[in-house]
Amino acid sequence: MKAIYSLLVLCAVMTAGCMKYEEAPLVESPSYIRVYNNLPQIGNALYAGQATPFLTLLVDPETDGQGVPSDAGIVGDFLATRQLFSLSYPINAANNDISGSVLNGRGGSTASLLPSNYEYPGNAHVLTAPAINGFDLSAWAQIPSGKHRIMFIVRPQNNTPFKNLSALIRGNILIDTTVELARGEVYTLHAVARDLDEKKYGLYIRRESFVHETFDENKIYTGFVNLSGNMPKAIGAGYGNVYPDRPAIYCTYYMPSVVSNSNGPQLNILKGYDKTYFTTLRQNMDTVIHYLELPMLPRDSFFLQNVIKEYAPDGAIVQGGPLNPSGRGIGTLPSFAFHFADAANPTRLTTLFSAANPRTFNNFDPVNSAATSFTPNLNLIVNSNNVNRLYSTLNIMEIVYDRVYLMQVQRGFNTVPLN
């Protein structure tokens, strides 16, 4: 069992005193939850009527005589739009993320000094899930199993905690629902827009099946789910580009050479993975995900004289993606492309390149760059004892209108990978 409460130890030297967070009490009969705000930052006409995408999560809220929430058993405050890429462990555990900057796609950066949490539990000091089925699930928080009331409150983006906001603001309830959580199960929850035109919102909850399935440790797995609501009228009027509502999904496995010419690296394709059909998503908000099995290539496919090859260059992500079919723009590492064909209009094809550097990907502005056409490379490379090694992953691609969020679930690092 992992308890973020007990992990933050501040020691200057071995003989100095140490401070730590008080140990949290154990949760009896726990379930495990991870919560996202899926209301994107407003960037175009598609989201013109959307509610302000800055929320407070309340689990088992306490209300006053007028029914206005004042506190809760769990408060996930300052909940900003989720990042396009998230891992299965909290990137910023034990720290209060009060600032950040992103590349704005116009040669500069923007910064915020206001509190922002990109998910719950995120950096909250709570008990988290143990490894289950070999997967690291420390980004999921423990919660007592059973019935819970869940609210999302629209709040201003400032540094005032929820309990100190005015009653008028605390009463701005966007979502109010009840869920039943089974003991020992793993859940991912999303605040979603069910209909942007009609301003209807709701809670999407998925009980994760991957904790019960069998996966080959030497394979990569990828699944898709469409979390878009009803298509807005702005799309029919020609405003904005979105992923198809009922996409047929194909996969290409690129193996670029490091031999360059005037057009960039020579682009090779792994046999059997040239726009190979995978699946068709026929239902929005589906809670069942089927996983595509993809091969992991030998180590020498990723390194040249023990030096790692290149991820997609930053310029491609800022300027609009791969520049030509020869491969310039996706780097020289093996990478994937997922092609989304519109079942209603097969000639329309949207491509998502899984080729970016995971370390820098969330630095790109998801509104003013081409980051929505990319995800990080699914081939995870881990540095252990100054040696780069390959590591298998399970990946969930969640489509929300004009962007795809990647949730990458890693195996527990109990042993060092062999390859």
Side-chain angles (χ1 to χ4, degrees):
M1 181 181 299
K2 301 176 183 178
I4 295 179
Y5 254 80
S6 63
L7 288 182
L8 182 61
V9 181
L10 303 177
C11 299
V13 293
M14 291 182 63
T15 57
C18 296
M19 298 177 58
K20 67 178 182 179
Y21 290 99
E22 182 181 354
E23 188 102 7
L26 298 178
V27 176
E28 185 176 354
S29 301
S31 302
Y32 310 101
I33 64 169
R34 184 178 194 175
V35 186
Y36 289 111
N37 171 8
N38 266 26
L39 307 185
Q41 301 176 47
I42 299 172
N44 52 43
L46 172 62
Y47 302 107
Q50 177 185 265
T52 302
F54 202 70
L55 308 174
T56 295
L57 162 73
L58 302 177
V59 180
D60 300 326
E62 302 171 5
T63 57
D64 61 20
Q66 285 70 46
V68 175
S70 56
D71 203 349
I74 294 174
V75 179
D77 209 356
F78 307 111
L79 195 60
T81 300
R82 65 183 295 191
Q83 293 178 309
L84 289 175
F85 174 53
S86 57
L87 298 164
S88 56
Y89 60 89
I91 299 174
N92 198 28
N95 292 297
N96 184 20
D97 182 15
I98 62 170
S99 65
S101 63
V102 295
L103 303 180
N104 61 20
R106 296 186 295 272
S109 63
T110 58
S112 172
L113 298 178
L114 298 174
S116 292
N117 294 310
Y118 298 110
E119 59 181 275
Y120 176 83
N123 56 19
H125 306 300
V126 299
L127 294 173
T128 62
I132 301 177
N133 198 25
F135 291 105
D136 178 1
L137 300 180
S138 53
W140 277 261
Q142 294 190 26
I143 183 175
S145 56
K147 185 175 292 186
H148 296 276
R149 185 182 182 186
I150 294 180
M151 284 184 178
F152 287 91
I153 311 297
V154 176
R155 57 152 302 144
Q157 189 169 7
N158 56 28
N159 59 4
T160 304
F162 173 77
K163 291 187 290 186
N164 296 336
L165 295 172
S166 69
L168 181 63
I169 295 176
R170 287 186 280 109
N172 194 3
I173 301 171
L174 184 72
I175 298 168
D176 185 356
T177 189
T178 301
V179 301
E180 183 84 25
L181 304 178
R183 177 180 179 180
E185 294 296 333
V186 177
Y187 296 88
T188 304
L189 290 71
H190 301 268
V192 296
R194 298 195 181 277
D195 191 320
L196 285 173
D197 292 333
E198 298 297 326
K199 298 180 174 58
K200 294 182 179 179
Y201 302 89
L203 177 70
Y204 166 86
I205 178 169
R206 181 178 67 239
R207 185 164 68 177
E208 299 292 6
S209 64
F210 65 79
V211 298
H212 301 293
E213 300 180 43
T214 300
F215 298 98
D216 187 333
E217 291 190 16
N218 296 310
K219 303 288 185 181
I220 294 170
Y221 294 88
T222 304
F224 296 83
V225 62
N226 192 346
L227 300 185
S228 304
N230 293 341
M231 278 297 162
K233 295 176 182 177
I235 299 303
Y239 294 99
N241 295 311
V242 297
Y243 283 85
D245 200 33
R246 298 290 182 269
I249 302 174
Y250 301 80
C251 176
T252 299
Y253 201 157
Y254 291 123
M255 300 187 301
S257 70
V258 295
V259 178
S260 301
N261 55 39
S262 59
N263 294 320
Q266 179 64 42
L267 190 60
N268 303 311
I269 295 176
L270 183 64
K271 184 178 180 180
Y273 291 90
D274 186 0
K275 292 186 179 178
T276 302
Y277 174 75
F278 167 44
T279 189
T280 298
L281 301 183
R282 305 183 187 280
Q283 177 182 341
N284 289 17
M285 308 290 176
D286 200 345
T287 57
V288 177
I289 295 179
H290 301 285
Y291 293 98
L292 167 67
E293 180 183 291
L294 298 167
M296 287 183 65
L297 300 181
R299 176 185 170 83
D300 59 8
S301 300
F302 297 85
F303 300 92
L304 182 65
Q305 297 177 347
N306 288 323
V307 177
I308 188 173
K309 296 181 182 179
E310 297 177 350
Y311 290 100
D314 291 350
I317 299 172
V318 171
Q319 296 169 9
L323 304 181
N324 58 56
S326 68
R328 180 187 295 174
I330 64 170
T332 54
L333 279 168
S335 62
F336 301 95
F338 296 99
H339 314 279
F340 299 78
D342 192 339
N345 182 10
T347 60
R348 179 172 175 260
L349 195 70
T350 303
T351 298
L352 178 74
F353 296 93
S354 293
N357 187 337
R359 295 184 178 181
T360 60
F361 183 70
N362 281 332
N363 292 339
F364 294 101
D365 188 340
V367 174
N368 297 306
S369 73
T372 51
S373 298
F374 281 86
T375 75
N377 197 309
L378 305 186
N379 293 293
L380 177 63
I381 299 175
V382 177
N383 187 285
S384 176
N385 295 326
N386 295 319
V387 177
N388 288 310
R389 306 174 190 272
L390 302 178
Y391 208 67
S392 61
T393 59
L394 181 141
N395 304 276
I396 300 176
M397 305 276 195
E398 296 172 313
I399 304 166
V400 181
Y401 293 115
D402 61 345
R403 58 201 67 200
V404 176
Y405 297 94
L406 169 60
M407 182 169 71
Q408 186 171 85
V409 182
Q410 301 177 4
R411 292 192 175 274
F413 283 89
N414 296 323
T415 59
V416 176
L418 297 177
N419 53 337

